[in-house]
Amino acid sequence: MDQQVGQQRADLRLGDPHRGALRGPRGHRAEHSEAHESTLTRRTDRTGRRSCADHQRTVRARQHDAVMTESSTEPVTVVGLGAMGTALARAFLAAGRPTTVWNRSPEKTAALVAGGAVPAGTIREAIEASSLVVVCLLDHRSVHEVLDPAGDALAGRVLVNLTNGTPEQGRELDGWAAERGAEHVDGGIMAVPPMIATPGAFVLYSGSRRAFDAHRATLDVLGKSHFVGDDPGLAALHDLALLSGMYGMFMGVLQAFALVRSEGVAATAFAPLLRRWLDGMSGFVDGAAEQIDARDYTIGVVSNLAMQAAGYVNLRRAAEAQGVSAELLAPLADLMDRRVADGYGHEDLTGAIELLGKQS
């Protein structure tokens, strides 16, 4: 027995675990040792795999942090320092973006420079200072007046035009930028200057999706970003459509105030009632959208067009009797009357859209 055990121990020393496995009274200890060693190996493998996965997650997190850090310190140039351009530049500065500013009237840069902005001496210097150039000027013509002399400096850069304009102007500028080696994103700001960088602000963008995605973290500083399509004219289209709704509301509000003022009612006394009424009528938007997309103006009709047209006459009569012009009311009255005359009095008012022209 002692001789057998000695041989088994010798085999273990020579590295043959199968030949050297101890049997008999002490053999189970050797088997237990092998099992324990195997368990440790498996645990080590699992630990190694976990460590590798943890390392990969750490690397990814650091890469993400690096990207976020880079975007949070991305230089930006703002061209045009009217009320809106100044608000944009202040928002970028407040968010920690290195901001270069330029304006045709240099004195408008002073307050921003005091807040940390870098003034550019020329439009070329302004463009060359950043890979992202944000333009906010009076109109489309002024954009070309400012950029044309230094258009070649835009090569390899992204031009974001937030100047109010038309869809065709957005498309024209896109082609102009492409000819000079720049990517272009057109935009529409749905806010007034004090709203910039607040939850109430949002900005419409269209054009180069790649450029928009690359600079979105910086653009988001201004307000919630909405990319509305690759067609560079779509931001202006959405912008002007929203403004059309706004000005339609403004016309109604002015007409309402003029009417009550004719009898000495204070606008401030009437305003709460007007706001409550307009808030209650805001549901018209969603209902009208459903009817328009279906081209079915009988969906959910509560007050048909014929009845509304008959009542609308009184708005004009009352205004004239009170010495108030009805010219703001006249266009809709004409559309309603024409639609009723065409035999659609049973439908909703929304059907008047069919008289407004083109449908894509």
Side-chain angles (χ1 to χ4, degrees), residues 308-339:
Q308 293 196 55
Y312 198 83
V313 171
N314 290 329
L315 274 66
R316 301 177 71 174
R317 288 175 178 167
E320 292 166 359
Q322 294 295 131
V324 173
S325 171
E327 58 192 302
L328 293 177
L329 301 170
L332 181 57
D334 292 341
L335 291 173
M336 294 169 73
D337 290 343
R338 286 168 55 194
R339 189 69 175 167

Side-chain angles (χ1 to χ4, degrees), residues 62 87 89 97 128-129 163 185 191 200 216 237 253 258:
R62 287 175 179 172
R97 268 64 171 183
E128 292 176 346
T163 304
V185 178
R216 180 165 190 167
L237 184 75
V253 168

Side-chain angles (χ1 to χ4, degrees), residues 143-166:
V143 171
H144 276 297
E145 288 175 350
V146 167
L147 295 182
D148 283 359
D152 60 300
L154 285 165
R157 292 176 165 79
V158 172
L159 171 64
V160 176
N161 179 37
L162 298 181
T163 304
N164 181 263
T166 68

Side-chain angles (χ1 to χ4, degrees), residues 15-158:
D16 188 345
H18 297 292
R19 292 181 59 197
L22 292 176
R23 305 296 179 195
R26 298 183 214 173
H28 71 282
R29 286 201 297 270
E31 291 174 344
H32 175 73
S33 177
E34 288 183 24
H36 179 64
E37 186 174 323
S38 176
T39 299
L40 286 176
T41 300
R42 288 195 300 272
R43 288 177 179 170
T44 300
D45 288 343
R46 286 196 298 270
T47 302
R49 286 194 295 270
R50 285 197 297 270
S51 297
C52 182
D54 290 343
H55 175 69
Q56 291 173 344
R57 282 193 292 270
T58 300
V59 169
R60 285 195 297 269
R62 287 175 179 172
Q63 290 172 338
H64 176 266
D65 290 344
V67 170
M68 292 304 292
T69 299
E70 183 178 353
S71 66
S72 65
T73 58
E74 177 184 32
V76 59
T77 288
V78 177
V79 174
L81 300 176
M84 183 60 78
T86 297
L88 303 180
R90 283 176 177 160
F92 288 134
L93 287 169
R97 268 64 171 183
T99 304
T100 298
V101 293
W102 182 89
N103 193 73
R104 284 186 283 191
S105 302
E107 62 272 12
K108 287 191 174 182
T109 66
L112 291 167
V113 170
V118 177
T122 66
I123 183 60
R124 182 174 294 275
E125 290 176 9
I127 293 171
E128 292 176 346
S130 312
S131 60
L132 177 63
V133 179
V134 177
V135 176
C136 186
L137 294 165
L138 176 63
D139 55 21
H140 186 68
R141 183 175 67 177
S142 63
V143 171
H144 276 297
E145 288 175 350
V146 167
L147 295 182
D148 283 359
D152 60 300
L154 285 165
R157 292 176 165 79
V158 172

Side-chain angles (χ1 to χ4, degrees), residues 162-359:
L162 298 181
T163 304
N164 181 263
T166 68
E168 284 307 311
Q169 290 170 345
R171 295 176 185 123
E172 184 278 330
L173 188 63
D174 191 72
W176 179 90
E179 290 173 358
R180 288 154 181 79
E183 289 190 272
H184 167 243
V185 178
D186 214 61
I189 302 172
M190 306 316 300
V192 293
M195 292 172 63
I196 294 298
T198 71
F202 65 96
V203 186
L204 308 165
Y205 297 99
S206 65
S208 171
R209 182 66 193 244
R210 178 177 63 179
F212 169 76
D213 287 341
H215 298 282
R216 180 165 190 167
T218 297
L219 297 175
D220 280 345
V221 165
L222 306 178
K224 185 173 177 59
S225 300
H226 294 272
F227 188 83
V228 295
D230 296 328
D231 178 347
L234 285 177
L237 184 75
H238 283 71
D239 177 23
L240 296 176
L242 290 169
L243 290 174
S244 295
M246 179 192 78
Y247 280 113
M249 180 187 70
F250 287 175
M251 286 189 287
V253 168
L254 291 175
Q255 186 71 29
F257 280 138
L259 194 63
V260 297
R261 188 178 67 169
S262 70
E263 286 293 343
V265 177
T268 50
F270 181 69
L273 292 175
L274 181 58
R275 174 185 286 275
R276 180 177 178 180
W277 177 243
L278 293 177
D279 287 347
M281 291 296 101
S282 64
F284 172 78
V285 173
D286 296 325
E290 181 183 359
Q291 292 173 337
I292 291 166
D293 284 348
R295 295 200 73 178
D296 183 353
Y297 308 113
T298 65
I299 298 173
V301 175
V302 176
S303 301
N304 67 40
L305 179 60
M307 187 194 75
Q308 293 196 55
Y312 198 83
V313 171
N314 290 329
L315 274 66
R316 301 177 71 174
R317 288 175 178 167
E320 292 166 359
Q322 294 295 131
V324 173
S325 171
E327 58 192 302
L328 293 177
L329 301 170
L332 181 57
D334 292 341
L335 291 173
M336 294 169 73
D337 290 343
R338 286 168 55 194
R339 189 69 175 167
V340 171
D342 289 342
Y344 297 102
H346 63 289
E347 294 184 345
D348 212 332
L349 168 64
T350 317
I353 194 174
E354 296 296 333
L355 300 175
L356 297 180
K358 180 180 177 181
Q359 178 185 8

